[in-house]
Amino acid sequence: MRLGRRYALAAAGVVLMGMIGCSPLTSESSAVAARPNTESPMSKVVIPDTKLVNSNTKFGFKLFSEVLKKDKGANVFVSPSSVAFALAMTYNGAEGTTQQAMAKALEYSGLSLQQINSSNAALKTLLENPDPKVQLTIANSLWTNSNASLNPSFMQRNRDFYASRVTNLDFTDSGAANTINNWVKDSTRGKIDKIVEQISPDQVMFLINAIYFKGAWTEPFDKSQTKEQPFTKASGQIVQTPMMTQRGKYKYLENNKFQAISLPYGRDGKISFYVFLPKENSGDLKEFYQSLNSLNWEKWMPQFQSRSGEIRLPRFKMDYEVTLNDALTALGMGEAFSDKANFSGIGKNLAISTVKHKTFVEVSEEGTEAAAATSVGIVALSAPMNPPFSMVVDRPFFTFVRDNQTGSILFMGSIVAPQS
């Protein structure tokens, strides 16, 4: 993939749905007409509930931990926000014990459906206005099979709270997948060009989330300072990699276990790229992940202080793909994948078949570009002043992109072998 000189992040999530014994739905060839709803629409919500942000953070770390178990020793990069938005839309159709199982996995304890939807609507609005020089858009859509009988209130809630575009398609048409993929491509500015490979006969719905971010470092790295330097991979192998260098004042945190830095984007730095680097004498990245949880997270974030120093960071890019079924099952959502699944809030006899996640990221002197896609398939049931620091990221590290205003984690990754 050839990348431009301006840098962007994009994420997309899609929910695929299928059904047994569906009665025909009165077909609408274009976007389904809006229906009145007494619940609060997006325009009436302004401030997201911090409980939802905390829930999303807990879920993101749990999901990341489960993914790491599968891809030991490999680079990992996921978008917790994309997965959370896609599953929140799906959660609107869950009932009974399936709803309880999803609530457990998504850390929704103590949150009503109204709170979840209203807070997601407010979060979407707030995230989309981070900085005059930063673009961040979140788009949602529902694509329904024209012969399926679905609950109109489910689709209306997705319109009202997630600003979802709802469109009926003939899924037997050979061009249906391309129609959906073109929307994803447009919504991610071409960073994700395909999320639906093919449409099976029992498919009834796709719910898609797309996140797009475009920005540059507040202080770009000087390309003339980038030099080939050694990086020690998790295996112990030493490889030469382009290392970017910069000096200045940064939000910085250091203890006896790790160094951490915040590199801001745009004019106001409301969104930042964070790097956590375990110290050489305190264990490796695997040991660091044993302490990476929401409780420690809440302790660490306020401890970042402005401090002068130097950062050397690899210029890297990577692609990543993972199926999340096992991870979500381990988090307590197994029923949603089984014949006991209850998505009667959407229609009859539905269950999740596959949750897939794909990402791409590149970090360079000018900024960061990344893309992510989440596919959920549902089918029929059969400190004080300190001296300057030096932070040389020459070994495996943890990184994430965070909206500092809301605390939402947009992307997170484990970089053990940077490639350029």
Side-chain angles (χ1 to χ4, degrees):
M1 180 182 295
R2 299 296 299 172
L3 301 169
R5 294 178 59 84
R6 297 192 66 184
Y7 292 83
L9 290 117
V14 56
V15 180
L16 292 70
M17 302 192 172
M19 181 178 296
I20 279 179
C22 302
S23 58
L25 174 71
T26 302
S27 179
E28 298 175 47
S29 59
S30 60
V32 178
R35 298 176 177 86
N37 191 346
T38 58
E39 293 180 316
S40 300
M42 290 187 64
S43 60
K44 293 185 180 180
V45 289
V46 179
I47 302 173
D49 193 327
T50 56
K51 290 181 181 178
L52 179 74
V53 175
N54 292 338
S55 294
N56 288 344
T57 299
K58 291 178 182 178
F59 167 69
F61 283 128
K62 291 195 309 180
L63 182 69
F64 187 69
S65 178
E66 291 297 330
V67 171
L68 285 174
K69 293 178 183 178
K70 178 178 179 179
D71 289 327
K72 296 179 179 178
N75 290 330
V76 171
F77 195 75
V78 299
S79 173
S81 288
S82 177
V83 178
F85 268 112
L87 290 177
M89 290 191 290
T90 311
Y91 182 74
N92 273 267
E95 301 286 352
T97 55
T98 299
Q99 184 187 60
Q100 295 169 16
M102 291 188 71
K104 177 183 178 182
L106 295 168
E107 293 287 343
Y108 283 165
S109 176
L111 288 169
S112 67
L113 183 60
Q114 175 72 17
Q115 285 177 294
I116 293 166
N117 288 337
S118 296
S119 294
N120 270 321
L123 185 61
K124 178 181 183 298
T125 300
L126 199 57
L127 287 173
E128 287 182 314
N129 297 278
D131 185 289
K133 295 185 178 181
V134 175
Q135 297 179 45
L136 178 58
T137 60
I138 302 170
N140 298 306
S141 63
L142 278 70
W143 306 82
T144 64
N145 194 348
S146 56
N147 68 356
S149 178
L150 304 175
N151 188 338
S153 66
F154 166 80
M155 294 184 286
Q156 188 62 45
R157 283 196 300 273
N158 274 282
R159 288 191 195 92
D160 289 343
F161 295 101
Y162 298 88
S164 295
R165 166 184 172 177
V166 181
T167 305
N168 272 356
L169 285 179
D170 178 1
F171 282 4
T172 63
D173 189 309
S174 60
N178 286 338
T179 299
I180 298 171
N181 288 328
N182 285 338
W183 181 89
V184 173
K185 185 175 181 179
D186 289 344
S187 297
T188 59
R189 311 299 194 273
K191 304 308 175 185
I192 304 289
D193 59 7
K194 181 182 291 187
I195 190 65
V196 177
E197 295 293 337
Q198 59 183 10
I199 302 177
S200 63
D202 55 0
Q203 214 75 55
V204 299
M205 182 184 289
F206 296 87
L207 283 83
I208 303 177
N209 163 262
I211 299 177
Y212 175 81
F213 171 87
K214 186 175 184 178
W217 303 124
T218 301
E219 296 293 338
F221 286 81
D222 183 350
K223 286 187 176 182
S224 68
Q225 298 298 312
T226 301
K227 309 293 182 184
E228 292 282 333
Q229 294 182 343
F231 183 97
T232 304
K233 298 168 65 175
S235 64
Q237 178 187 7
I238 298 177
V239 295
Q240 294 296 313
T241 189
M243 196 76 74
M244 307 181 298
T245 301
Q246 190 180 93
R247 295 173 182 83
K249 274 198 170 184
Y250 309 91
K251 292 292 185 180
Y252 179 77
L253 170 62
E254 181 175 354
N255 57 33
N256 60 349
K257 295 294 184 181
F258 61 78
Q259 292 176 279
I261 194 171
S262 170
L263 300 175
Y265 297 105
R267 189 183 71 185
D268 298 330
K270 292 180 180 178
I271 296 179
S272 296
F273 183 87
Y274 288 75
V275 176
F276 279 70
L277 179 69
K279 291 192 172 179
E280 290 182 290
N281 60 355
S282 64
D284 56 14
L285 197 58
K286 182 179 179 181
E287 291 185 33
F288 167 75
Y289 287 139
Q290 293 176 1
S291 64
L292 183 61
N293 54 56
S294 58
L295 290 177
N296 283 332
W297 190 256
E298 292 175 3
K299 296 177 183 177
W300 294 338
M301 287 299 99
Q303 294 177 15
F304 279 81
Q305 300 292 331
S306 180
R307 187 168 162 187
S308 298
E310 176 187 79
I311 174 67
R312 278 191 274 168
L313 180 69
R315 188 179 68 202
F316 69 92
K317 63 181 177 180
M318 62 173 281
D319 295 285
Y320 181 72
E321 179 178 353
V322 64
T323 298
L324 297 176
N325 291 36
D326 291 343
L328 292 171
T329 297
L331 297 183
M333 221 177 91
E335 181 176 312
F337 297 93
S338 74
D339 57 5
K340 296 180 180 179
N342 181 354
F343 286 99
S344 57
I346 304 173
K348 296 179 180 179
N349 303 324
L350 299 176
I352 297 176
S353 61
T354 306
V355 179
K356 292 184 178 180
H357 194 61
K358 296 181 180 180
T359 60
F360 169 84
V361 62
E362 181 176 28
V363 174
S364 76
E365 290 87 352
E366 294 174 340
T368 304
E369 183 167 20
T374 308
S375 169
V376 183
I378 299 184
V379 294
L381 293 173
S382 62
M385 293 299 293
N386 290 299
F389 65 86
S390 178
M391 184 172 173
V392 181
V393 188
D394 61 355
R395 52 196 180 277
F397 59 94
F398 168 67
T399 185
F400 64 95
V401 177
R402 176 179 184 261
D403 178 78
N404 297 316
Q405 190 175 12
T406 66
S408 296
I409 300 172
L410 301 176
F411 297 85
M412 64 171 65
S414 176
I415 309 302
V416 300
Q419 300 171 353
S420 62

